[in-house]
Amino acid sequence: MNSNADKDYIDAKVEGLDARLAAASGTSDAKFGAVDARFDAVNTRFDAVNTRFDATDAKLESIIAMMVEMRSALEAKIESAFQRATSQMVKWMVGVLAAGITIVVTVMTFVLNNAIPKAQPPAPVAPAAAAVPAVLIQVTPQGLTVQPLTPAAPVAPPVKP
């Protein structure tokens, strides 16, 4: 085999394949052009649908933003109601505790003061020298008269057996 002849043979074969490929490429380009034209027609319809989808997305985003605002406002209302209820509960618990302590102290004081009878303290005996006779004043139609009373007899101490 001659290398020049082989080269010419291979070149001829490659040129034949190139020609067939170019012919096939021209027909495929025409086919792809037709497909592209159909896709362009479909894309115009899709553009209208995409426009509607974009408008719907914008509406949905505004609705979501409104819902987020409503949720935050509702959370703030719930938080303030919870704080108000907590302060009311603390106020009532402190009031009930103070009233309970007052009642317990009052009842215990009354019970301890009145439950045990107290011994009567001995009556103080006035010394005999310090005894002053009582004076009775009577008003009569003629005028004023003062009569001394006789002092009471001193009490004798009890006799021990």
Side-chain angles (χ1 to χ4, degrees), residues 58-70:
K59 286 179 186 177
L60 287 175
E61 286 181 13
S62 68
I63 290 171
I64 289 172
M66 182 181 66
M67 290 175 72
V68 166
E69 289 176 19
M70 288 174 58

Side-chain angles (χ1 to χ4, degrees), residues 67-87:
M67 290 175 72
V68 166
E69 289 176 19
M70 288 174 58
R71 179 177 180 226
S72 62
L74 183 61
E75 285 176 352
K77 272 186 180 179
I78 290 171
E79 183 70 24
S80 69
F82 181 74
Q83 288 176 352
R84 201 169 44 246
T86 302
S87 67

Side-chain angles (χ1 to χ4, degrees), residues 134-159:
V135 177
L136 178 64
I137 301 174
Q138 293 180 348
V139 179
T140 60
Q142 292 95 15
L144 181 71
T145 60
V146 178
Q147 298 176 351
L149 291 176
T150 58
V155 178
V159 179

Side-chain angles (χ1 to χ4, degrees), residues 73-137:
L74 183 61
E75 285 176 352
K77 272 186 180 179
I78 290 171
E79 183 70 24
S80 69
F82 181 74
Q83 288 176 352
R84 201 169 44 246
T86 302
S87 67
Q88 289 289 325
M89 189 182 330
V90 167
K91 177 179 73 172
W92 277 98
M93 289 176 73
V94 168
V96 167
L97 181 67
I101 289 172
T102 303
I103 290 171
V104 167
V105 168
T106 303
V107 167
M108 291 304 293
T109 302
F110 179 77
V111 167
L112 291 176
N113 283 339
N114 295 323
I116 303 170
K118 297 177 186 158
Q120 294 293 330
V125 179
V132 177
V135 177
L136 178 64
I137 301 174

